[in-house]
Every structure is written in structure tokens, then in C-alpha cells.
Amino acid sequence: MRYVSTRGGVTDLSFCEAVMMGLASDGGLLVPADIPDIRDQLSDFQTLSYTEIAARVMGCFIDDIPSEALETLIEKSYATFGDERVTPVVPVGDMHIMELFHGPTLAFKDVALQFLGNVFEYVLARDGGRLNILGATSGDTGSAAIAGVRGKDNINIFIMFPDGRTSPLQERQMTTVLDDNVQNIAIEGSFDDCQSILKGVFADLEFKDAYQLGAVNSVNWARVLAQVVYYFAAWVQLGSPKAFQVAVPTGNFGNIFAGYIARRMGLPIDKLILATNDNDILHRFFTTGRYERGSVHFSYSPAMDIQVSSNFERYLYYQFDQDTTRVSDVMSDFLSKGSATVNFNTVNFDDAFATGCVTDEETLAKIVETFENTGYLLDPHTAVGVHVAQKYRNSELPLVCMATAHPAKFDDVIKKGLPEVDVTHPSLEALKELPARKSQLPNAQQAVKNFIAEHNSP
Ligand SMILES: *Cc1c(COP(=O)(O)O)cnc(C)c1O
């Protein structure tokens, strides 16, 4: 399988080259040149384990890692999960929940980042080279990125976060990781300050090349690919129905885009139900055709508080029948004016999506109602998905709602609606006792560069 950029400026990369490039060098996103249709093979899937499904699905998109080596990478990536089904489906009332949160940091990003870390390590060992990963986090992704590369050869990770402004729990999920290749940097400033340092350091191309800087942002193709797998696993765990619906709480369009790929591969997903919180750029797009940047609203589902959905460009590419000129035109309109309109009549839009957006009050009400009716505790992100799913579902079809975080990660929100319920997780409790390490740095690009230079050792 070869990889190309959505904007036409990069062509003919292998899978490993696409993973190491991350963002396409022309500013676009890397996508596979074709999406294979495997509907004829699905009847064999019914007896496969999660990792066997992963090998089959990923194998369609990877031809530069031998299959035995790929199987080893997959086994290693999911051995860190706390459930043998990796992403178990559980019945809750008249629907199903797929729990994507059994990885080391209890959020769905582990599914992708455990795999990405192993692919990085494999490629660096095979081809030589080192990687210094630099990232900024307001809380949630940093810990999953760290868990993905801790202790790996030839990789260092530097994660900046605003000192004192992430939740104590989120900070401890990062700072209690004491591996030598992990550096937590508490910046004396806001999350925006961290992001502007990040941009500045990456813009210094000389520095970037000298220190082999890389990112683990949400647009890496390997992340999307790892997520495609669990849509197949959901269908198998449901007993291979003729058709089913999936609801996904959505921010950067990464998770649900993976579902869209699975659907194009022939998995019988009737509708992908896309749910946003108040940050509803995607809901507005799918109802009006207008893609327009908003300002960020802080909500009860913070991992979905985004202005722009970074994976969305990949969807446009397929909707425009892989016409890179049209994608480039829409994206340059959007980047220069903050909005772009796609005319639904001139684009052959599919009917894959139903969308809705959810307020904080509705999110909290859904957590309370679900708990009272079924005894199951939803985290606030998952509750956003469940709310929209129950509004738009076709009750004749099985429904799976993707659960993206363990409720104990967001117990502060849950307590607002269910003050008497004690929600904990042993691995989060254990963090309170563990030693922690972080480096405090001033809000200055040079200080971060110096720090990277000092810690750039194997
Ligand atoms: C990242 C995240 C999301 C949003 O996923 P996208 O791929 O950005 O759409 C939802 N819930 C949780 C808990 C997350 O960490």
C-alpha cells in the first residue's frame, strides 16, 4: 500500500515512511492510496481474537513490515491492556457500550498510542536514527503519549504542560513515569504558552533537524489505523449482525474517521452517529456544509474542546473522490478566512453520518439517568455520545456507543450529578503514593531548546 498527501504534494510513501513523516510535508494529511474492500473475508473474523483481527485489518495497509514482525508489534501493544478482549463490548440497557479505556492511562488514546510507540521503536531499530518527541498537553493526551514510548530505545519524549493548571490526577499520570527517556516539563504559563513554544521550536528547522524532533499528534496515520480495528472487533463481539450503528463522541474526528474507514472497507455499519459537545464545528458542517472555526468553549468533556477537527481533511479527500486540488482549495479558504463552504449538491455526499451536539446539562443528565436506570457509570465524553445516539438511533438495529474514558478520570463532573457515588480506579488511586518527577521551566522557547539539548542522550 502506498501513501499520498490529501493536497497532492507528497506521493508514493510506504507505511513506515508515512508514520515517520506524521504530517505531510506539503501541509496536508497522509492517506492510503486505496481503501481495500474486505467484506468477502468478514465471515472468517468471527473466531478471531482482537490481535488476530488487528493483524488482518492492519495487514491490508502495511506491506513494509513482515507479517510476523507486525504480529509481534500488535501483541506487545495490547498486552498492556487490562481486559483480554482489549476493547470489550458490554450490554447496557437496550444498547451496547464498547469500552476503549482498558489501556495504561484509562482513555481510548492508548489504543492508538501503544501501537504508534512500538512502530516508532521498530522503524528506528531497523533503519537507524533517533527521535525526540516534543508535545504540549492541557492534560489528557500527554499521559497516553508518554505511556506509548516510555522505556523505548532511541526515543526521548518531552511533554510540556502548564504548571499547576492540569488536574492533579492528570499531572500525576505523567510525572510518576520515571523512565530515563521521559521528561515532563512544567511551563510557568498557560496551555496556549506551551503551544506557542511548541510551534516556535518546530519552526526552527535547523534545531528540528539537529535534534530529530517529531510529534505524536492526532494526525499520524498509524493512530487512525489502530482505531479502525476495534470497529471490526465490535461487530464480532455483537455476533456479526447484518447491520449495526455506532455512536462516537468526537473532537478531532480521529476516532469516528477510523469508523468511516471500516465502513468503506465493507463493515456493515449503517450509520456513524457523530456527537459533539458545545464545540460543534462538525455538527454544523454536516447540517449546513459550512466548515467554520469557532472559539473554544470549556465543557464537561474537555478532550473534545476543540476549535478545528484536525482529521477532517482526510474525510474531505474521500468525499471529493481523491481530488487533491479541491481539498487544497477548501483548506486554503478555511485557513485564510476561518471558514469554507462545501456545496452538498456538487459533492456526492454519502449518508454515513447522523450528527448532534450536547450541552453540559444534557451530559450530566445522561450520566445520572443511565446510572439510575442501569447501574452503569458513563464518563462525560461517553455520555455525549449516548445522548445523541438515543436521539437518532434506529431501534431495529444493534447500537454500540464508544466509551472513550474510564469514569474515574472525570469523577469531578460525575460528583456534580451523583454526589453519593464513589467512582475510583485502583491504578489511579495507586498514583497518589508514587514518587513523581518534573522539571519546571520558564515560559521561554530558548529554555525548552536548552533543556532538549541537555537531555538528548540515549
Ligand atoms: C481524544 C478524546 C476524544 C475525542 O476523540 P477524537 O479522535 O479527537 O474525535 C473523546 N474522548 C476522550 C476521553 C478523548 O481522550
Side-chain angles (χ1 to χ4, degrees):
M1 176 68 70
R2 308 309 288 175
Y3 287 83
V4 300
S5 165
T6 50
R7 299 196 195 166
V10 179
T11 55
D12 205 29
L13 298 182
S14 72
F15 171 77
C16 293
E17 288 167 336
V19 172
M20 298 316 279
M21 187 177 278
L23 188 69
S25 52
D26 64 353
L29 303 185
L30 295 168
V31 284
D34 311 295
I35 299 177
D37 191 313
I38 62 167
R39 76 190 68 211
D40 295 346
Q41 304 172 29
L42 288 181
S43 55
D44 315 345
F45 275 43
Q46 288 157 27
T47 55
L48 302 184
S49 67
Y50 187 91
T51 52
E52 289 166 338
I53 294 171
R56 291 282 286 269
V57 170
M58 291 182 179
C60 300
F61 294 90
I62 303 176
D63 50 24
D64 57 342
I65 300 178
S67 42
E68 244 175 61
L70 179 61
E71 282 160 26
T72 308
L73 291 181
I74 291 168
E75 287 290 342
K76 223 166 123 179
S77 302
Y78 300 110
T80 56
F81 279 59
D83 190 289
E84 63 178 359
R85 287 169 295 171
V86 182
T87 55
V89 170
V90 298
V92 174
D94 61 356
M95 59 180 178
H96 288 82
I97 299 268
M98 178 170 242
E99 296 178 343
L100 302 177
F101 53 71
H102 292 277
T105 73
L106 308 182
F108 100 99
K109 290 187 176 66
D110 289 326
V111 179
L113 288 167
Q114 288 291 305
F115 178 67
L116 181 64
N118 284 313
V119 175
F120 278 152
E121 186 179 52
Y122 171 84
V123 176
L124 293 169
R126 189 187 67 182
D127 301 347
R130 298 185 50 72
L131 184 60
N132 283 307
I133 294 167
L134 178 63
T137 185
S138 56
D140 224 38
T141 29
S143 57
I146 289 169
V149 302
R150 64 184 296 181
K152 299 242 181 286
D153 291 336
N154 304 313
I155 304 177
N156 293 313
I157 185 164
F158 299 86
I159 294 291
M160 297 181 278
F161 61 87
D163 200 9
R165 301 196 200 183
T166 60
S167 82
L169 179 75
Q170 286 178 329
E171 177 171 328
R172 296 192 69 77
Q173 278 197 304
M174 298 188 282
T175 58
T176 54
V177 178
L178 301 179
D179 299 69
D180 288 341
N181 72 330
V182 174
Q183 301 297 336
N184 283 291
I185 305 177
I187 296 286
E188 292 162 6
S190 65
F191 176 55
D192 286 343
D193 295 329
C194 296
Q195 277 194 309
S196 78
I197 293 175
L198 186 74
K199 266 198 183 149
V201 176
F202 273 105
D204 181 345
L205 296 181
E206 214 174 299
F207 185 86
K208 178 170 178 266
D209 285 349
Y211 289 97
Q212 288 149 305
L213 282 196
V216 282
N217 42 34
S218 68
V219 299
N220 197 299
W221 170 254
R223 288 183 64 173
V224 174
L225 181 56
Q227 293 167 184
V228 175
V229 174
Y230 53 70
Y231 287 86
F232 287 88
W235 176 74
V236 169
Q237 289 188 54
L238 285 179
S240 328
K242 284 216 163 48
F244 69 116
Q245 299 193 315
V246 191
V248 188
T250 305
N252 275 316
F253 204 72
N255 190 349
I256 199 164
F257 180 70
Y260 175 76
I261 297 277
R263 190 175 185 271
R264 286 189 71 128
M265 292 174 77
L267 188 69
I269 298 175
D270 164 69
K271 282 248 186 274
L272 288 156
I273 299 173
L274 182 159
T276 70
N277 61 27
D278 272 342
N279 297 279
D280 62 348
I281 179 169
L282 289 168
H283 172 62
R284 281 181 284 125
F285 172 77
F286 280 104
T287 45
T288 67
R290 195 168 167 75
Y291 191 59
E292 184 169 29
R293 184 190 296 273
S295 50
V296 176
H297 301 215
F298 295 102
S299 78
Y300 287 168
S301 42
M304 289 149 54
D305 292 346
I306 49 97
Q307 275 183 308
V308 175
S309 291
S310 51
N311 270 292
F312 183 67
E313 184 170 343
R314 286 191 165 112
Y315 176 67
L316 281 184
Y317 174 79
Y318 290 108
Q319 284 310 303
F320 289 160
D321 288 329
Q322 318 199 353
D323 180 341
T324 53
T325 311
R326 287 193 73 185
V327 176
S328 305
D329 289 349
V330 168
M331 291 314 293
S332 75
D333 248 19
F334 178 70
L335 293 173
S336 61
K337 299 185 212 142
S339 73
T341 300
V342 174
N343 186 336
F344 281 97
N345 299 324
T346 62
V347 177
N348 192 14
F349 260 83
D350 59 37
D351 53 1
F353 295 94
T355 72
C357 63
V358 181
T359 63
D360 277 350
E361 291 66 37
E362 290 168 328
T363 303
L364 199 56
K366 189 55 68 183
I367 292 171
V368 173
E369 177 200 312
T370 306
F371 184 72
E372 286 174 350
N373 291 342
T374 69
Y376 191 87
L377 256 185
L378 302 170
D379 103 285
H381 303 80
T382 309
V384 167
V386 170
H387 181 95
V388 177
Q390 289 177 342
K391 224 156 121 185
Y392 294 113
R393 75 175 291 186
N394 172 348
S395 56
E396 320 240 296
L397 294 179
L399 166 69
V400 182
C401 295
M402 293 298 181
T404 54
H406 189 280
K409 282 195 92 164
F410 298 95
D411 59 339
D412 52 335
V413 174
I414 290 168
K415 285 232 159 12
K416 289 182 206 290
L418 297 166
E420 73 290 355
V421 173
D422 192 27
V423 49
T424 56
H425 187 283
S427 79
L428 298 179
E429 293 306 303
L431 291 179
K432 294 178 184 158
E433 310 301 327
L434 295 178
R437 168 166 64 78
K438 66 178 176 183
S439 304
Q440 273 151 318
L441 289 184
N443 174 15
Q445 212 189 103
Q446 193 57 47
V448 172
K449 284 181 177 167
N450 294 345
F451 186 88
I452 292 171
E454 283 159 28
H455 292 84
N456 172 42
S457 54

